[in-house]
């Protein structure tokens, strides 16, 4: 298992150039992504924000190597992305957890090539990191949604990837658990310094988490704006700057402030 | 420690929070002791109706439950019970295991290789509705009259449902799991072993159980025609050789009991803890 | 891409069928068999049947028996299944009986059928009825039982009496599962009619299979009959699948997005 390259803040990790995606379904062609250019720096936390169905998940799948774009390139550390890679782990929603393996089994899934002791050590470390001590032998169907999500995150982290891709990972959770999970994620990010790409449709979430928010338009998706979030962590949700940035994005998307 | 679904919520769907959805839980209205008796009440009612129908109906030949019970005793006493049972089970086992070893890999391959699936699945759909018994003339032509023919018939009857079940199990594997397997850098063989096989196991087991039921139905029919031992043979022979309808119905009862037993055993396997994840949330399958 | 997919899904099976026919023909030639027919012989056999007017007559007879037995199973199985599903206690009483009777091959009922109906169509139809009854009954039971309490509560909330609740809420909600049972039952009915005809009557495709062999080792007709059985079975299956695509029930068969 190659150790993650020591992150050099500021260096370009991910370079997306001119990515376009067109799906051919039946006799119709659906243009999902248009002219996406984006650079992501090492150890950055970038949120991709857009309404449901706009193509943000498609973009993430392309970056992760599960889909090939109809045009454009994706380069990580200077190399073309040609397929999924254990150095960049995709965190699906809780459904990505393997239901036939226990918590331990899931977290240790990518660690097959390690010596048994090392594997056990890592599993224990990440079980503790995500707060699931005591549940090592439980099966996913015995766990709540939030716990399953944590298993998935632990599984991703256990193989020590350089990059994490998260596709609306907290979407199926209740709002209280969501707040907790965001805090957890930030804590882990500070501790492990991974480069993170996080897809969401939740404006508040993006401002709470990201260094930069990439706002996508509706389909066909283009980058409307990239917002720098210059707030320190931990972020005060009532601070004026937070509200400014949040409202700015609201306006960008064209939403009113009143319900 | 491990969150348990609230007691008394049987059979409900499990929602995304991992808990039994109270909306779909089946309520338990009766106290435990009384509700345990209900299944027996059904059988008892059936027996009573049967007995009355024979006594007061106008069917001179058909036996009542008591006569059938006596006939079973007679078979056991004369040693035929075991003999016929073993013969039928023997044929089922061979035919079924052969069908599993051919049909399941075939079905998996059909699902994995798109072109192969497109080419062959329609052909399987044409051969599948052909009753196994329609193969009897060919079976006799190729294998002669005897055990081999009836094993072949059972094989033919089970191999297509098994292939279809394996195919649909593979198609049912969520793409999320495939992708996760690829993401972790697993080779094709490893994905097959560590993702595909565990993921298809619950649905495959259901298919195996249903196919075993079909195999059991067919063994009885196959024996009526091609051999001279076994429960199917018993039924036909008892009638032909002397209108012993009590033996005929005794044979039917035994067939039902064994079929039930086989089904029950397979369901037990499906309930193993390592597999129970596949059923959290599904209604009972037929 | 869709048209390419369509092209492939038509061409590939045709190519596979042609390949199998070629292998078959080669096997017949290579083993120099006198008995087993070549593909051409089977085709000629079908033509002969058509010429004699037997083709349509036998197909019609088999289909009529299926219609009768299957129809009877529908008429009994759906109402009975709905009632058993609606009242869980009744369902639990009936369940062991059903589970016990189900594994008994319909053909094991032949002697009983013959006693009750004599050696004729009645016996064959009775067997088909028995065989189709169980999938329909079980799926109706399960379908009704599986209707979420949420739906029943909503219906009651709108002031529906039990009868209307059953007709307007429970039955439609259970329909997808019932349709699945209907499809399975039709497949079973088709298999059983062929088997029943081999034993109890003297017309129909199943009869043709047995009689062609017994009356003169006409294996070309045996195989011809088998292919016809397969083709019609496939058509019946497609028919029922079309029904499940109707918009009134399509909602129950939509795949979950993963």
């Amino acid at each position: 298992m190659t150790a993650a390259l020591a992150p050099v803040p500021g260096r370009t990790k991910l370079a997306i150039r001119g990515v376009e995606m067109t799906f051919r379904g039946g006799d119709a062609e659906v243009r999902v992504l248009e002219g996406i250019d984006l650079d992501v720096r090492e150890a950055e936390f970038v949120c991709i924000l857009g309404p449901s169905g706009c193509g943000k998940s498609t973009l993430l799948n392309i970056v992760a190597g599960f889909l090939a774009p109809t045009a454009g390139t994706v380069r990580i550390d200077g190399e073309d992305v040609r397929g999924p890679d254990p150095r960049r782990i995709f965190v699906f929603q809780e459904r990505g957890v393997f239901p036939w393996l226990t918590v331990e089994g899931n977290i240790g899934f990518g660690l097959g090539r390690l010596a048994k002791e090392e594997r056990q050590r890592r599993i224990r470390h990440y079980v503790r990191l995500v707060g699931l001590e005591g549940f090592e032998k439980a099966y996913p169907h015995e766990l709540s949604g939030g716990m399953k999500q944590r298993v998935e995150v632990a599984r991703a982290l256990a193989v020590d990837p350089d990059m994490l891709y998260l596709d609306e990972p907290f979407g199926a959770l209740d709002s209280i658990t969501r707040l907790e999970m965001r805090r957890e994620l930030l804590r882990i990010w500070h501790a492990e310094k991974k480069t993170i790409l996080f897809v969401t449709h939740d404006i508040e979430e993006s401002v709470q988490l990201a260094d930069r928010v990439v706002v996508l338009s509706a389909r066909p998706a283009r980058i409307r704006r990239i917002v720098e979030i210059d707030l320190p962590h931990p972020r005060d949700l009532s601070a004026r700057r937070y509200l400014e940035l949040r409202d700015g994005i609201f306006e960008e998307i064209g939403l009113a402030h009143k319900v | 420690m491990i969150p348990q679904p609230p007691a008394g919520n049987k059979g409900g769907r499990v929602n995304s929070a991992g808990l039994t959805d109270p909306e779909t839980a089946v309520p338990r209205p009766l106290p435990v002791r009384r509700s345990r008796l209900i299944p027996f009440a059904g059988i008892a009612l059936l027996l009573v109706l049967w007995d009355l129908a024979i006594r007061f109906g106008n069917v001179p030949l058909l036996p009542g439950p008591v006569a059938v019970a006596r006939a079973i005793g007679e078979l056991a006493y004369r040693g035929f019970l075991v003999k016929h049972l073993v013969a039928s089970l023997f044929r089922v086992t061979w035919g079924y295991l052969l069908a599993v070893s051919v049909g399941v890999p075939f079905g998996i391959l059909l699902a994995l290789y798109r072109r192969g699936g497109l080419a062959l699945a329609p052909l399987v759909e044409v051969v599948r509705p052909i009753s196994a018994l329609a193969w009897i003339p060919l079976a006799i032509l190729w294998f002669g009259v005897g055990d081999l023919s009836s094993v072949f018939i059972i094989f033919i009857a089970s191999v297509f449902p098994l292939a279809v079940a394996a195919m649909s199990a593979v198609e049912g594997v969520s793409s999320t799991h495939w992708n996760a397997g690829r993401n972790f850098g697993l080779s094709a063989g490893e994905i097959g072993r560590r993702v595909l096989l565990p993921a298809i196991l619950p649905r495959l087991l259901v298919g195996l159980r249903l196919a075993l039921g079909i195999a059991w139905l067919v063994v009885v029919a196959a024996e009526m025609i091609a051999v001279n031992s076994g429960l199917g043979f018993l039924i036909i022979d008892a009638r032909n050789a002397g209108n012993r309808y009590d033996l005929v119905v005794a044979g039917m009862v035994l067939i039902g009991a064994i079929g039930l037993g086989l089904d029950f055993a397979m369901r037990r396997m499906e309930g193993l803890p390592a597999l129970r994840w596949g059923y959290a949330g599904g209604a009972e399958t037929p | 891409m869709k048209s390419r997919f369509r092209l492939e899904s038509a061409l590939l099976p045709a190519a596979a069928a042609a390949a199998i026919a070629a292998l078959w023909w080669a096997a017949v030639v290579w083993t120099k068999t006198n008995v087993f027919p070549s593909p051409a012989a089977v085709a000629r056999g079908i033509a002969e049947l058509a010429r004699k007017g037997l083709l349509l007559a036998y197909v019609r007879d088999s289909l009529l028996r299926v219609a009768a037995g299957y129809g009877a199973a529908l008429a009994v199985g759906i109402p009975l299944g709905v009632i058993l599903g609606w009242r869980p206690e009744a369902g639990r009483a009936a369940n062991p009986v059903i589970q016990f009777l189900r594994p008994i091959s319909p053909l094991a009922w032949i002697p009983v059928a013959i006693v009750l109906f004599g050696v004729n169509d009645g016996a064959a139809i009775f067997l088909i009825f028995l065989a189709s009854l169980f999938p329909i009954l079980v799926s109706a039971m399960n379908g009704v039982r599986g209707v979420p309490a949420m739906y029943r509560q909503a219906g009651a909330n709108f002031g529906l009496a039990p009868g209307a609740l059953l007709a307007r809420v429970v039955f439609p909600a259970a329909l997808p599962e019932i349709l699945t049972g209907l499809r399975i039952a039709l497949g079973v009915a088709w298999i059983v009619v062929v088997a029943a005809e081999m034993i109890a009557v003297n017309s129909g495709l199943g009869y043709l299979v047995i009689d062609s062999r017994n009356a003169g080792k006409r294996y070309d007709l045996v195989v011809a009959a088998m292919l016809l059985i397969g083709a019609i079975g496939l058509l019946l299956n497609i028919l029922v699948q079309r029904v499940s695509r109707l918009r009134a029930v399509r909602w129950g068969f939509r795949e979950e997005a993963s």
Side-chain angles (χ1 to χ4, degrees):
Chain A
M1 185 104 358
T2 49
L5 301 168
V8 177
R11 201 181 69 157
T12 303
K13 181 83 176 165
L14 166 67
I16 305 174
R17 291 279 176 279
V19 160
E20 304 195 343
M21 189 67 193
T22 310
F23 285 115
R24 284 188 189 80
D27 301 311
E29 272 192 10
V30 183
R31 206 111 196 269
V32 176
L33 294 172
E34 240 176 35
I36 307 284
D37 287 304
L38 181 63
D39 277 346
V40 176
R41 296 187 291 268
E42 290 246 18
E44 229 196 328
F45 195 131
V46 171
C47 264
I48 302 179
L49 175 72
S52 285
C54 74
K56 44 194 199 299
S57 292
T58 307
L59 179 58
L60 199 63
N61 274 284
I62 291 175
V63 170
F66 293 122
L67 282 176
T70 3
T73 59
V74 178
R75 282 213 176 85
I76 298 183
D77 289 334
E79 287 175 8
D80 277 324
V81 166
R82 244 161 304 175
D85 193 309
R87 289 172 295 172
R88 295 124 209 174
I89 299 286
F90 200 106
V91 176
F92 308 87
Q93 293 190 20
E94 23 147 344
R95 290 207 213 177
V97 160
F98 294 129
W100 58 87
L101 293 175
T102 57
V103 167
E104 272 182 337
N106 265 286
I107 296 179
F109 184 76
L111 302 177
R113 302 217 179 92
L114 293 182
K116 183 163 175 205
E117 263 186 42
E118 173 67 10
R119 198 184 333 146
Q120 306 280 38
R121 196 187 61 78
R122 284 219 200 175
I123 294 177
R124 271 200 305 275
H125 171 85
Y126 285 104
V127 165
R128 214 171 329 131
L129 184 70
V130 297
L132 283 173
E133 293 104 310
F135 291 93
E136 289 88 344
K137 308 274 184 213
Y139 280 98
H141 67 87
E142 297 163 335
L143 304 175
S144 70
M147 294 162 94
K148 279 190 273 194
Q149 196 60 62
R150 286 192 243 169
V151 173
E152 178 125 17
V153 171
R155 181 178 78 185
L157 291 173
V159 296
D160 203 18
D162 340 328
M163 297 189 67
L164 279 182
Y165 306 128
L166 296 114
D167 187 0
E168 303 196 49
F170 308 143
L173 306 177
D174 64 85
S175 60
I176 294 175
T177 313
R178 245 182 272 162
L179 285 171
E180 289 174 353
M181 295 294 294
R182 285 180 210 153
R183 214 175 304 141
E184 290 282 294
L185 184 58
L186 286 173
R187 178 174 62 83
I188 293 171
W189 174 63
H190 281 304
E192 311 249 329
K193 292 276 179 278
K194 313 281 181 204
T195 315
I196 298 189
L197 267 186
F198 188 109
V199 160
T200 180
H201 61 260
D202 186 335
I203 297 175
E204 303 259 8
E205 188 166 60
S206 65
V207 181
Q208 285 168 17
L209 293 174
D211 292 328
R212 281 190 297 155
V213 176
V214 176
V215 183
L216 293 182
S217 68
R219 207 199 296 160
R222 258 175 270 111
I223 298 185
R224 292 177 75 116
R225 216 175 89 172
I226 302 185
V227 181
E228 290 262 354
I229 311 286
D230 52 1
L231 294 166
H233 290 283
R235 294 188 173 160
D236 183 351
L237 302 188
S238 53
R240 202 177 51 133
R241 182 67 183 141
Y242 171 85
L243 296 171
E244 256 175 38
L245 288 165
R246 186 200 65 184
D247 292 343
I249 300 183
F250 262 103
E251 267 180 47
E252 174 71 40
I253 297 192
L255 292 173
H257 293 185
K258 301 195 199 290
V259 176
Chain B
M1 265 222 289
I2 295 175
Q4 298 286 336
N9 272 15
K10 291 283 178 87
R13 300 224 169 90
V14 175
N15 64 14
S16 64
L19 301 172
T20 307
D21 195 326
E23 268 106 45
T24 62
V26 176
R28 276 218 297 231
L30 296 173
V32 182
R33 234 183 285 150
R34 220 191 302 167
S35 71
R36 282 240 184 101
L37 290 181
I38 287 191
F40 295 107
I43 296 191
L45 185 64
L46 177 73
L47 289 173
V48 167
L49 285 174
W50 178 8
D51 192 59
L52 291 176
I54 296 298
R55 255 187 245 257
F56 300 109
N58 209 0
V59 228
L61 289 171
L62 291 182
V66 178
V68 171
R70 271 206 302 258
I72 296 181
E74 177 186 332
L75 283 171
Y77 177 69
R78 290 166 64 191
F80 286 137
L81 184 64
V82 174
K83 170 183 166 192
H84 288 311
L85 254 173
V86 167
S88 294
L89 283 172
F90 167 81
R91 291 180 192 115
V92 156
T93 307
W94 274 107
Y96 181 72
L97 288 180
L98 265 171
V100 169
S101 50
V102 168
V104 171
F106 183 60
I108 293 179
L109 285 175
L110 279 189
L112 289 180
Y113 292 102
R114 191 182 70 95
R115 292 241 167 78
L118 278 182
L120 293 176
L123 299 186
V124 169
E125 288 300 315
V126 169
V127 183
R128 196 157 61 111
I130 304 180
S131 167
L133 299 193
W135 289 82
I136 285 183
L138 286 186
I140 297 183
L141 178 64
W142 289 330
F143 302 104
V145 173
D147 270 336
L148 207 48
S149 279
S150 49
V151 167
F152 174 73
I153 297 290
I154 295 162
F155 167 79
I156 285 286
S158 352
V159 77
F160 297 111
L162 282 170
V164 170
M167 218 172 98
S168 103
V170 172
E171 281 164 5
V173 176
S174 101
S175 62
T176 307
H177 291 152
W178 281 121
N179 285 342
R182 292 167 63 199
N183 202 184
F184 280 93
L186 265 46
S187 70
E190 284 176 319
I191 294 189
R193 222 179 356 106
R194 297 177 62 189
V195 176
L196 178 62
L197 278 166
I200 61 175
L201 217 42
R203 285 181 72 165
L204 191 59
L205 268 180
V206 173
L208 285 176
R209 175 166 57 85
L210 294 176
L212 184 57
I214 294 175
W216 186 244
L217 282 181
V218 173
V219 71
V220 166
E223 283 173 356
M224 291 175 165
I225 295 162
V227 295
N228 53 16
S229 67
L231 293 172
F233 166 77
L234 170 66
I235 290 179
I236 282 297
D237 189 59
R239 174 179 169 265
N240 290 347
N243 276 347
R244 286 289 307 269
Y245 279 91
D246 56 339
L247 284 177
V248 168
V249 180
M252 289 167 69
V253 168
L254 288 169
I255 289 169
I258 304 271
L260 195 58
L262 288 174
D263 190 77
F264 186 70
M266 289 287 287
R267 279 187 204 259
R268 273 330 242 338
M269 273 174 52
E270 288 168 22
L272 288 178
L275 294 166
R276 219 175 291 157
W277 62 268
Y279 304 101
E284 172 107 352
T285 41
Chain C
M1 176 123 130
K2 185 189 185 189
S3 41
R4 189 173 133 222
F5 176 74
R6 269 226 189 106
L7 198 66
E8 274 191 348
S9 50
L11 275 188
L12 282 173
I20 292 183
L23 278 170
W24 173 5
W25 179 78
V28 165
V29 165
W30 184 63
T31 56
K32 298 202 184 58
T33 170
N34 298 358
V35 207
F36 197 76
S38 69
V42 171
R44 282 196 298 263
I46 297 183
E48 178 185 329
L49 287 171
R51 230 177 20 234
K52 288 193 192 159
L54 288 176
L55 185 64
L56 274 171
Y58 282 171
V59 169
R60 184 202 62 204
D61 285 343
S62 295
L63 283 174
L64 280 177
R65 287 183 190 116
V66 163
Y70 186 74
L74 277 180
V76 171
I78 294 187
L80 188 58
V82 168
I83 294 176
L84 289 179
W86 184 243
R87 295 250 157 266
E89 312 87 46
R92 247 159 347 132
N95 204 36
V97 174
I98 295 174
Q99 297 302 336
F100 181 79
L101 290 177
R102 214 159 44 130
I104 305 180
S105 169
L107 301 192
W109 287 87
I110 286 181
V112 173
I114 293 183
V115 166
L116 292 176
F117 298 94
V119 181
N120 58 22
D121 268 336
I125 293 175
F126 175 68
L127 291 178
I128 297 164
F129 164 75
L130 269 182
S132 336
L133 183 63
F134 291 109
I136 295 177
L137 188 60
V138 169
S139 69
M141 252 174 74
N142 285 345
V144 169
R145 214 157 34 128
V147 174
M150 195 164 51
Y151 293 173
R152 300 193 206 197
Q153 283 161 3
N157 202 183
F158 281 94
L160 290 181
L165 192 64
L166 193 56
R168 294 179 59 188
V169 174
V170 173
F171 189 71
L175 212 42
E177 175 119 18
I178 294 180
L179 271 181
T180 303
L182 290 188
R183 183 167 55 84
I184 296 176
L186 188 56
V188 170
W190 186 244
I191 289 184
V192 171
V193 72
V194 167
E197 284 173 356
M198 297 169 96
I199 296 162
V201 296
N202 49 18
S203 74
L205 290 171
Y207 167 78
L208 181 60
V209 170
I210 278 294
D211 188 61
S212 308
R213 175 185 172 266
N214 291 346
K217 301 255 193 260
R218 290 290 307 272
Y219 281 97
D220 56 338
L221 291 180
V222 168
V223 178
M226 286 170 74
L227 287 177
L228 285 168
I229 291 169
I232 295 183
L234 179 61
L235 282 171
L236 289 174
N237 200 26
I238 292 179
L239 203 73
V240 183
Q241 279 184 336
R242 279 289 162 77
V243 173
S244 37
R245 292 226 185 96
L246 289 178
R247 302 189 68 198
V249 282
R250 215 190 307 165
W251 58 269
F253 294 103
R254 218 149 1 119
E255 299 214 315
E256 263 191 30
S258 51

